[in-house]
Amino acid sequence: MDPANHGASAVQPIRWHGDSVEFLDQRLLPRELSYVTCRNADEVARAIRDMVVRGAPAIGCAAAFGVVLDHGSPHSYEVLAASRPTAVNLFWALGRMRAAKDLRAEAEKIFAEDLAANRRMGDLGAELIPERARVMTHCNAGALATAGYGTALGVIRSSKSKHISVIASETRPYLQGARLTAWEMVQEGIPVTLITDNMAGHLMSRGEVDVVVVGADRIAANGDTANKIGTYPLAVLASRHGIPFYVAAPSSTFDLDIASGRDIPIEERPEAEVLGYRETRWAPDGVKVRNPAFDVTPAGLITAIVCEKGIARPPTRESIAALLR
Amino acid sequence: MDPANHGASAVQPIRWHGDSVEFLDQRLLPRELSYVTCRNADEVARAIRDMVVRGAPAIGCAAAFGVVLDHGSPHSYEVLAASRPTAVNLFWALGRMRAAKDLRAEAEKIFAEDLAANRRMGDLGAELIPERARVMTHCNAGALATAGYGTALGVIRSSKSKHISVIASETRPYLQGARLTAWEMVQEGIPVTLITDNMAGHLMSRGEVDVVVVGADRIAANGDTANKIGTYPLAVLASRHGIPFYVAAPSSTFDLDIASGRDIPIEERPEAEVLGYRETRWAPDGVKVRNPAFDVTPAGLITAIVCEKGIARPPTRESIAALLR
């Protein structure tokens, strides 16, 4: 059995062939469904850096396959570790590969475990979602961001029978919400409403959001959570309006070596992403740009963190320690 | 003297010629600098609806000129009042025109008074801006949004000698921040950093924002302020981080007939604006869209409102009543 080709949902972000790995090119979705083939660690690292493949758990799986393709060369670890700095799943996967005897078996296990963890998080998280809930999510923490099924979107998929609907924020500058989450929800037959990122506050103030569920790129020991830029404002607004704010992430996303969110490195991406979108540029010459790809949501704003090992509620540091023990 | 051609800044959003009015086409900036000519009220109403001309004070001036072009016909009032619902300056200007004897003189007076009000707000507001402040603004409350000089950007222009810098949020879906505010600041020689709307929280949490100044489309008697979508989240975040949040708006933006923000009508604009940008569409088929063009910031989140008649501080209802008496 080829584990990468047995995703729980129809979406296959990563296809593993033993001597190569294919990534569904997420830069082109939903306009075009095509794969990029990588045959060595350099090509995998480039696919991660250029966001052909993205999403913390998916990056972890991709890096593991990259190591296999280079037969565990020191270069493979080096180039993959340098691809993107924030998602800890990457470093976690490289650590597992370093300790493994059978590289191919270990990479396939990382992939299969991620899929299973998403299913388990879906089951656990669905208990938190009310009937007919209007669920807001940000970026794409879906099948595309993982081995398959998804973290936040896994929780949403597992809640489908409750007749929920989804509000997806578009997630500038890369538009993962508008392009990827919206596409996954349409495929799944779950009603989805697209908004720009700055509309979340208005909808919350009008009572149009029942719950927020997002993924994570790195969770510190105290529960502070780095996730896609724009997550922190959603958490602040949800808190103001008494709306539950949930994070869904596998245990590979926790970094217990980091005490709080202050110590999580935040990637700054290229200026061009903010100056426009793809071939369209709308900003004038002469402007500076900031492009932090992630922000940090303090644990105090998070109602609960859904992990495949259970649900961590405040006091979060203690709950996380107990779950991951 | 042709008052519309004597804006305080180089930007001329409205050029009045007596038998026609030209609007700088704000849909095409900064890529293209061209004017749309309107010869009757229907054409002016269409220019307002299609956002050739936008910004609450500019819409008020445009409507006044539209009435002149139709010689005060009942149809002109009707079609202009139906163009956009949220900015009260439109209805305020139509009210002044209805009561006027000399339509052309009144429209030119409305225009000249707006320019003078912006200058005065600039002087008053600049006293609130610290030396070397990093000033965040949203949307475009600049020369382009007014008869000239600007409300929020007027305050910023008048603070130029303090060596300030500006952080402009791009303001999806119409990108007034990325296209118009960034362009005005580059023209003015004020350093400007562009961010996507969802980055404001991160920058504030890292101590990179000293003050926020925005414009307004309608201010209720209690100080609740409707402004471009995304203003409310900025106010919530500024409050959390102890950052002063100022609104700059002329007295024509106040609507004392409305007790609180709950009663301000919020325009919903076409779906296409959220599904992509201009000719580029990035969202998949099958998604629904929400596109509220404005949100309401409660008075309690506003440090002060700068008006040409003075500065209204909490208790805001009383301060506003005293200023506008």
Side-chain angles (χ1 to χ4, degrees):
Chain A
M1 176 184 120
D2 187 348
N5 295 346
H6 290 263
S9 72
V11 181
Q12 292 186 2
I14 302 174
R15 296 203 293 214
W16 169 238
H17 303 291
D19 58 350
S20 70
V21 61
E22 287 181 295
F23 300 118
L24 181 55
D25 193 339
Q26 301 195 26
R27 300 170 303 182
L28 306 180
L29 283 173
R31 196 165 53 179
E32 196 180 321
L33 216 148
S34 71
Y35 281 83
V36 170
T37 302
C38 298
R39 299 185 187 283
N40 57 50
D42 285 299
E43 289 177 1
V44 171
R46 191 178 317 124
I48 294 172
R49 195 172 53 243
D50 295 348
M51 296 176 75
V52 172
V53 57
R54 34 64 51 198
I59 289 176
C61 296
F65 290 130
V67 169
V68 180
L69 293 175
D70 261 34
H71 312 289
S73 73
H75 174 72
S76 68
Y77 289 102
E78 203 174 299
V79 69
L80 287 161
S83 60
R84 292 191 74 189
T86 303
V88 77
N89 311 61
L90 175 73
F91 308 99
W92 168 88
L94 293 176
R96 272 187 62 165
M97 295 301 285
R98 254 194 206 97
K101 285 201 180 94
D102 182 336
L103 291 176
R104 177 167 176 165
E106 188 69 8
E108 291 176 356
K109 198 161 166 243
I110 286 171
F111 186 94
E113 285 176 9
D114 188 59
L115 201 50
N118 289 343
R119 280 292 202 172
R120 178 75 185 132
M121 279 187 278
D123 290 346
L124 285 169
E127 292 173 31
L128 304 171
I129 308 296
E131 282 285 331
R132 301 191 179 279
R134 295 157 299 178
V135 186
M136 182 171 283
T137 188
H138 186 58
C139 193
N140 172 270
L144 292 166
T146 60
Y149 202 69
T151 55
L153 293 193
V155 171
I156 287 169
R157 282 195 164 88
S158 295
S159 307
K160 187 180 173 185
S161 63
K162 293 183 178 176
H163 308 288
I164 57 160
S165 57
V166 169
I167 300 162
S169 45
E170 66 177 15
T171 319
R172 278 280 294 151
Y174 205 68
L175 297 165
Q176 294 95 331
R179 296 189 300 110
L180 309 179
T181 292
W183 182 73
E184 281 199 38
M185 293 297 95
V186 170
Q187 300 284 309
E188 193 74 38
I190 296 176
V192 56
T193 299
L194 181 62
I195 60 169
T196 62
D197 299 309
N198 54 21
M199 291 173 188
H202 179 71
L203 266 60
M204 289 186 189
S205 75
R206 299 286 162 124
E208 297 182 31
V209 179
D210 298 308
V211 53
V212 182
V213 189
V214 299
D217 288 83
R218 192 184 299 217
I219 302 174
N222 72 343
D224 290 354
T225 295
N227 190 46
K228 180 52 55 192
I229 191 76
T231 301
Y232 167 59
L234 290 186
V236 171
L237 289 162
S239 168
R240 178 177 168 93
H241 293 287
I243 299 167
F245 185 92
Y246 298 116
V247 171
S251 49
S252 56
T253 304
F254 290 79
D255 184 356
L256 301 188
D257 294 338
I258 275 185
S260 82
R262 272 194 310 276
D263 302 321
I264 300 176
I266 301 295
E267 176 185 10
E268 286 264 347
R269 293 195 51 86
E271 291 197 353
E273 292 179 356
V274 172
L275 294 168
Y277 178 69
R278 293 175 58 99
E279 61 276 11
T280 310
R281 174 176 166 146
W282 46 63
D285 290 338
V287 299
K288 287 182 243 179
V289 163
R290 285 292 307 276
N291 188 9
F294 304 93
D295 60 23
V296 174
T297 300
L301 295 174
I302 299 170
T303 311
I305 303 176
V306 181
C307 174
E308 82 278 14
K309 303 197 174 194
I311 295 177
R313 294 183 178 277
T316 315
R317 185 193 307 274
E318 291 72 11
S319 308
I320 290 173
L323 272 189
L324 300 185
R325 185 166 45 203
Chain B
M1 177 183 121
D2 186 349
N5 294 345
H6 290 263
S9 73
V11 181
Q12 292 187 0
I14 302 174
R15 296 203 292 214
W16 169 239
H17 303 291
D19 58 349
S20 71
V21 61
E22 288 181 293
F23 300 119
L24 180 56
D25 193 340
Q26 302 195 24
R27 300 169 305 182
L28 306 180
L29 283 172
R31 196 166 51 178
E32 196 181 320
L33 216 147
S34 69
Y35 282 83
V36 170
T37 302
C38 297
R39 301 187 185 280
N40 57 51
D42 285 298
E43 289 177 1
V44 171
R46 191 178 317 123
I48 294 172
R49 194 172 56 245
D50 295 348
M51 295 176 75
V52 173
V53 57
R54 32 66 52 199
I59 290 175
C61 296
F65 290 130
V67 169
V68 179
L69 293 174
D70 261 34
H71 312 290
S73 73
H75 173 71
S76 69
Y77 289 101
E78 204 174 297
V79 70
L80 288 160
S83 60
R84 294 191 74 190
T86 302
V88 77
N89 312 61
L90 176 72
F91 308 101
W92 168 88
L94 293 177
R96 271 188 61 166
M97 295 301 285
R98 254 193 207 96
K101 283 197 182 100
D102 182 337
L103 291 177
R104 177 168 175 165
E106 187 71 7
E108 291 177 355
K109 197 161 167 241
I110 286 171
F111 186 94
E113 285 176 10
D114 188 58
L115 200 50
N118 289 343
R119 281 293 202 171
R120 177 77 185 131
M121 279 187 278
D123 289 345
L124 285 169
E127 292 173 30
L128 303 171
I129 308 297
E131 281 287 330
R132 301 193 178 278
R134 295 157 300 177
V135 186
M136 183 171 282
T137 189
H138 186 57
C139 193
N140 172 270
L144 293 166
T146 60
Y149 202 69
T151 55
L153 293 195
V155 171
I156 287 169
R157 283 195 163 89
S158 295
S159 307
K160 187 180 172 184
S161 63
K162 292 183 178 176
H163 308 288
I164 57 160
S165 57
V166 168
I167 300 162
S169 45
E170 65 177 16
T171 318
R172 277 281 292 151
Y174 204 70
L175 297 165
Q176 294 96 329
R179 297 189 300 110
L180 309 180
T181 291
W183 182 73
E184 281 198 38
M185 293 297 94
V186 170
Q187 301 283 311
E188 192 75 37
I190 296 175
V192 56
T193 299
L194 181 64
I195 60 169
T196 61
D197 299 310
N198 54 21
M199 291 172 187
H202 178 71
L203 266 60
M204 289 186 190
S205 75
R206 299 285 162 124
E208 298 181 29
V209 179
D210 298 307
V211 53
V212 182
V213 188
V214 298
D217 287 84
R218 192 184 300 218
I219 303 175
N222 71 343
D224 291 355
T225 295
N227 190 46
K228 179 52 54 192
I229 191 76
T231 302
Y232 168 59
L234 290 186
V236 170
L237 289 162
S239 169
R240 180 177 166 93
H241 293 288
I243 298 167
F245 185 92
Y246 299 116
V247 171
S251 49
S252 56
T253 303
F254 290 79
D255 184 356
L256 301 188
D257 293 339
I258 275 186
S260 83
R262 271 195 311 278
D263 302 321
I264 300 176
I266 301 295
E267 175 185 12
E268 286 265 345
R269 292 196 50 88
E271 290 196 352
E273 291 180 356
V274 172
L275 295 168
Y277 178 70
R278 293 177 58 101
E279 62 276 13
T280 309
R281 175 176 164 143
W282 47 64
D285 290 337
V287 298
K288 288 181 244 178
V289 163
R290 285 292 307 278
N291 188 9
F294 304 94
D295 61 22
V296 173
T297 300
L301 296 174
I302 300 169
T303 310
I305 303 176
V306 180
C307 174
E308 82 277 15
K309 303 197 174 194
I311 295 178
R313 295 184 177 276
T316 315
R317 184 193 307 274
E318 291 72 11
S319 308
I320 290 173
L323 272 190
L324 300 185
R325 187 166 44 203

